[in-house]
Amino acid sequence: MAYSRFPGAERPNVLFILTDQLRYDTLGFNGNSIIKTPNLDKLAASGAVFKNCYVQNPTCGPSRACLLTGRYARSHGLRRNGCALPEDQPTMMKHLRVNGYHTALVGKLHFQPFQVSLAEHPDYGFDSMKMAEVPTVGGLRNNAYLEWCQAQGLSLLKIGEGCKDSFSPYPFAPGDRCHYSSWVAEEAAKYIGLSPTLGRPFFLNLSFFDPHHPYTTPEPWYSMYTPEEVRDIDWPHDDFWNDKPELFQKRREAFGSNFLKTTRESWRNVRACYYGMVSHLDDCIGRVIRALEAANLMDNTIICFTTDHGDMQGDKGLFDKGPYHYQETVRIPAMIWAPPKFDLQQGQVVEDLVESIDLAPTLMQMCGVCPYAGIQGESLWREGKFGSGRQSVLIEDFHEFERQHCVTVFDGQWKYNRYEGEEYGELYDLENDPM
């Protein structure tokens, strides 16, 4: 494989767009005919879409560490939320910085417990960090977004106005301009506008919190979809839990009595709001793309779009993500767009199995940078097209609440789930016996 096609100043910029808790099936380019995602759909039409990309850990912090290190959670050490990624771990940002890139973060990182102050927070290879781990008052530390809100005279209590719990949708009262996703897009646009003065290519991690719960978005996106038009909830039948691991029911009970009262209809209300959140996210991404166009940088910028995991969102009577490795949480959207100088075959649909750790070595190879020792992902770039030789994918979860270690191996048809320390496991033929 070649790593020096674009040496020095000719190396491309990278815009790495990372969302949070985005389902594979809620994007136009992945076949959802109801949801409106025109900006992402346009990129996908002239880029490459990975139809079978899987996370290595369906939890925020560990999965983000997998994406940005190109390593499995058991290797990089951030195994569950609330833990820290060891400072000595190699990251894509560190390696690109050593190889002449200016590296920047806008938004969520989630490599440290939220209680760690910015002064104590490692940079992990970022030259610039506009970090905001969560868009709520509970994440006051390391939160450039909330500092910006206060500077605008916006009450922090106003941001959460209308929030009852994690699974009741509500409109974002302060409006679009004050929303976290809009702030991320605006800060990214500022960085892009100034980037020509850096004198070197950039790697920008544009990291959104949406469409993670709480389920809220500003108008007109909040009212854009009705519960009747969204995809129905895969609600479980009465005896669904009889042959499922006990920890699933414990997880349901841990969400509390309000969660146990939710119904198929209430989750359709959530899904309508969630669709609006995704459409608003797409609109914000469009603003960043327009900033690239205004700076005349599209001809030298790779755009990679993905997420850290999916969301059960009422399907099978479950919520959130983590110890259950259903397709709704472990299969993720992933797409790469490249400028004309890469001679990329437009509109590629890659059916091969892909692991999320493969994206880091892929981007580094496209930048002409040889991946570092210890990286476990495999580059997907094949000079003009993408492909993978993987026969299976590995998914693990070391869950922070149940302390349950689940290991899954999936070959595209057969999915085997092993629960460490338990006598039982699960084997599913997804073609004939869906989970």
Side-chain angles (χ1 to χ4, degrees):
M1 295 183 181
Y3 293 101
S4 59
R5 185 177 177 186
F6 305 114
E10 296 180 11
R11 284 181 173 170
N13 305 307
V14 178
L15 177 63
F16 187 73
I17 305 174
L18 183 56
T19 63
D20 198 330
Q21 208 157 301
L22 176 63
R23 288 175 59 118
Y24 171 89
D25 59 2
T26 53
L27 293 161
F29 70 80
N30 277 339
N32 189 314
S33 61
I34 302 299
I35 202 161
K36 300 176 179 66
T37 51
N39 294 294
L40 289 169
D41 294 349
K42 183 178 179 181
L43 287 177
S46 54
V49 174
F50 303 98
K51 300 292 282 188
N52 292 293
C53 184
Y54 287 83
V55 296
Q56 276 49 81
N57 186 309
T59 312
C60 302
S63 184
R64 288 164 178 268
C66 291
L67 282 159
L68 293 173
T69 65
R71 290 161 59 82
Y72 295 106
R74 61 171 58 210
S75 299
H76 62 59
L78 204 175
R79 294 188 169 202
R80 58 174 64 94
N81 285 344
C83 296
L85 179 68
E87 292 183 51
D88 62 356
Q89 280 294 305
T91 67
M92 176 163 48
M93 299 78 71
K94 288 179 182 178
H95 199 57
L96 288 174
R97 182 164 69 179
V98 167
N99 282 276
Y101 274 75
H102 187 273
T103 56
L105 166 74
V106 177
K108 180 176 179 177
L109 184 59
H110 210 163
F111 281 5
Q112 289 278 328
F114 291 165
Q115 296 80 9
V116 174
S117 70
L118 188 58
E120 302 169 300
H121 200 292
D123 65 35
Y124 291 110
F126 285 113
D127 293 305
S128 168
M129 298 175 74
K130 283 277 188 176
M131 187 164 60
E133 299 288 37
V134 294
T136 58
V137 178
L140 283 173
R141 282 180 178 263
N142 303 335
N143 207 313
Y145 164 66
L146 294 183
E147 292 173 3
W148 176 86
C149 288
Q150 290 176 309
Q152 307 304 307
L154 178 63
S155 166
L156 297 185
L157 294 177
K158 187 74 172 176
I159 295 173
E161 185 177 271
C163 182
K164 297 178 182 178
D165 52 45
S166 294
F167 29 84
S168 297
Y170 62 98
F172 183 73
D176 171 48
R177 180 178 176 274
C178 297
H179 192 273
Y180 179 99
S181 295
S182 299
W183 172 81
V184 169
E186 183 177 341
E187 291 297 324
K190 290 178 184 177
Y191 176 85
I192 289 168
L194 293 172
S195 65
T197 66
L198 297 172
R200 48 185 167 150
F202 68 77
F203 171 87
L204 173 58
N205 182 194
L206 181 62
S207 187
F208 294 94
F209 184 83
D210 273 7
H212 192 292
H213 60 275
Y215 299 109
T216 182
T217 197
E219 294 289 6
W221 295 274
Y222 181 76
S223 302
M224 187 172 286
Y225 304 96
T226 66
E228 292 73 28
E229 65 182 320
V230 301
R231 191 184 64 78
D232 197 9
I233 306 298
D234 181 16
W235 197 249
H237 49 77
D238 291 341
D239 60 351
F240 178 80
W241 297 104
N242 292 350
D243 63 348
K244 297 296 182 289
E246 183 182 2
L247 77 98
F248 288 11
Q249 187 60 29
K250 288 181 178 179
R251 180 75 166 139
R252 283 168 46 81
E253 293 168 357
F255 288 130
S257 58
N258 284 346
F259 171 78
L260 294 175
K261 295 175 185 176
T262 59
T263 63
R264 169 182 263 151
E265 289 69 30
S266 67
W267 280 110
R268 289 191 73 145
N269 288 330
V270 168
R271 188 159 290 178
C273 175
Y274 184 92
Y275 275 30
M277 294 169 76
V278 176
S279 287
H280 179 242
L281 189 66
D282 178 85
D283 189 84
C284 292
I285 291 169
R287 301 171 202 179
V288 178
I289 293 171
R290 287 192 290 276
L292 285 171
E293 293 170 341
N296 296 315
L297 293 174
M298 286 295 285
D299 283 345
N300 196 39
T301 301
I302 299 166
I303 301 174
C304 179
F305 171 83
T306 190
T307 193
D308 53 2
H309 52 75
D311 185 355
M312 290 305 298
Q313 208 177 95
D315 284 343
K316 300 171 178 66
L318 293 169
F319 165 60
D320 209 18
K321 69 280 183 181
Y324 19 79
H325 292 177
Y326 289 109
Q327 294 292 87
E328 290 89 339
T329 66
V330 298
R331 186 187 186 192
I332 58 169
M335 176 255 291
I336 292 178
W337 181 92
K341 68 180 185 178
F342 281 89
D343 299 321
L344 177 65
Q345 296 177 16
Q346 296 190 2
Q348 286 183 51
V349 177
V350 182
E351 300 283 355
D352 302 347
L353 287 172
V354 169
E355 293 189 337
S356 65
I357 60 172
D358 296 335
L359 295 176
T362 300
L363 293 173
M364 284 188 282
Q365 185 191 352
M366 295 179 75
C367 291
V369 175
C370 183
Y372 40 82
I375 199 165
Q376 294 169 304
E378 301 174 3
S379 177
L380 305 169
W381 181 238
R382 303 288 188 268
E383 292 299 326
K385 61 182 180 179
F386 295 93
S388 166
R390 290 195 180 276
Q391 301 302 308
S392 63
V393 295
L394 174 68
I395 305 160
E396 294 184 276
D397 183 78
F398 310 83
H399 206 261
E400 63 263 35
F401 299 118
E402 287 77 15
R403 302 299 186 203
Q404 176 70 62
H405 180 192
C406 177
V407 181
T408 294
V409 177
F410 178 54
D411 70 357
Q413 177 179 357
W414 292 94
K415 180 182 283 189
Y416 172 63
N417 301 327
R418 179 174 66 84
Y419 300 91
E420 195 165 280
E422 303 291 351
E423 295 181 356
Y424 56 78
E426 299 174 291
L427 179 64
Y428 292 93
D429 174 359
L430 293 197
E431 291 185 5
N432 301 299
D433 178 27
M435 297 172 71

